[in-house]
Amino acid sequence: MYVIETRGLKKCYGGGEEFCVHALRGVDLQVRKGEFLAIMGPSGSGKSTLLHILGGVEVPTSGQVLLEGVDLVKLGDDQRTIMRRERMGFIFQSFNLLPAFTAEENVALPLDLGGTPPAESCQRAAEMLRLVGMSQRRTHLPSQLSGGEQQRVAIARALVKEPALLLADEPTGNLDTTNGQQVTSLLRKLVDEREQTIVMVTHDPDVAEQADRTVRLRDGLVESSGKQTG
């Protein structure tokens, strides 16, 4: 079974077929456990729409989205929210850390919201910060961290509930080359050492090279899909 799979995925914005803007025109995608997939394509190709649908943030006009065999499309809003919270982790270009929370508090937040006892939340947050090399900065606020450090904290937060799927939206987009390489190497390490399944949207071919496979979209369709070489 695939961790995430789409079948005949279509997304149309606007009213009625006559005025419909097709963001996705029938996308079939399969991602296995422990696979690092990069999604690329020009602006308007459907990358962000696809990622939002994979993450259960949007629903398709038609087609299936199977997360560990469960069709997200058939779930109600509350059920989809639970799946998103329990089985997915999200990494954003803008980090999305709470400015008044320390690094450790930011990482523990998903656990706290889910009712995990405080002592266990702190312990698991500390473990995740150690995993991403941020133990020394756990008491720092986001404003006291570099962009690369903030993204590492965000990755730790995404991992703290041990998600089946990690979704990354331009995770190096706000970083300089050095920090971007470090974050990309960290994602690669998570795949190699923890068999973490990652789907990442990126415009940077150097970042995409670290993935196992790249899917290229154009005009809402898969233009090509293949393993990295070299």
Side-chain angles (χ1 to χ4, degrees):
M1 181 174 25
Y2 300 107
V3 171
I4 190 80
E5 179 182 9
T6 69
R7 298 173 182 171
L9 202 64
K10 295 183 180 180
K11 181 64 177 180
C12 174
Y13 295 103
E17 186 65 29
E18 183 180 353
F19 302 103
C20 175
V21 177
H22 292 280
L24 297 175
R25 298 172 179 268
V27 173
D28 296 320
L29 187 70
Q30 300 87 28
V31 186
R32 297 183 182 277
K33 177 175 173 55
E35 184 176 13
F36 189 179
L37 176 70
I39 299 174
M40 300 189 74
S43 179
S45 60
K47 302 187 302 297
S48 294
T49 298
L50 177 57
L51 200 71
H52 291 162
I53 291 175
L54 293 180
V57 178
E58 293 187 47
V59 293
T61 304
S62 62
Q64 293 179 289
V65 185
L66 304 172
L67 176 66
E68 298 181 303
V70 176
D71 191 353
L72 299 180
V73 179
K74 293 183 178 179
L75 300 181
D77 289 343
D78 291 345
Q79 292 173 302
R80 199 160 47 245
T81 297
I82 291 170
M83 287 286 283
R84 191 163 59 240
R85 189 171 64 214
E86 298 294 330
R87 302 304 296 150
M88 300 184 199
F90 297 87
I91 306 168
F92 306 96
Q93 180 176 339
S94 55
F95 319 136
N96 287 11
L97 300 176
L98 295 179
F101 280 32
T102 65
E104 187 171 272
E105 289 168 340
N106 267 286
V107 174
L109 186 60
L111 298 174
D112 295 336
L113 293 175
T116 302
E120 183 182 344
S121 288
C122 288
Q123 180 184 353
R124 289 171 62 180
E127 289 173 0
M128 289 300 106
L129 286 169
R130 186 161 55 249
L131 178 68
V132 301
M134 286 294 293
S135 291
Q136 306 293 326
R137 310 285 272 168
R138 64 186 183 85
T139 61
H140 288 62
L141 297 173
S143 61
Q144 298 169 314
L145 302 173
S146 70
E149 289 173 332
Q150 289 186 63
Q151 192 62 295
R152 284 175 174 270
V153 172
I155 292 170
R157 180 186 58 191
L159 290 170
V160 76
K161 298 202 79 171
E162 300 184 352
L165 177 65
L166 198 60
L167 296 171
D169 189 3
E170 299 279 8
T172 63
N174 277 344
L175 303 177
D176 60 31
T177 301
T178 299
N179 279 305
Q181 288 173 344
Q182 290 174 350
V183 165
T184 308
S185 295
L186 173 58
L187 295 177
R188 181 71 252 175
K189 179 181 176 181
L190 294 173
V191 173
D192 293 339
E193 297 184 4
R194 294 171 60 91
E195 289 195 315
Q196 179 64 58
T197 307
I198 301 177
V199 176
M200 171 185 67
V201 164
T202 183
H203 69 279
D204 189 334
D206 291 334
V207 173
E209 278 184 8
Q210 292 297 314
D212 300 311
R213 182 164 58 100
T214 296
V215 165
R216 298 180 185 277
L217 298 182
R218 184 176 293 276
D219 298 328
L221 291 167
V222 175
E223 183 181 50
S224 65
S225 175
K227 292 186 177 181
Q228 304 293 5
T229 58

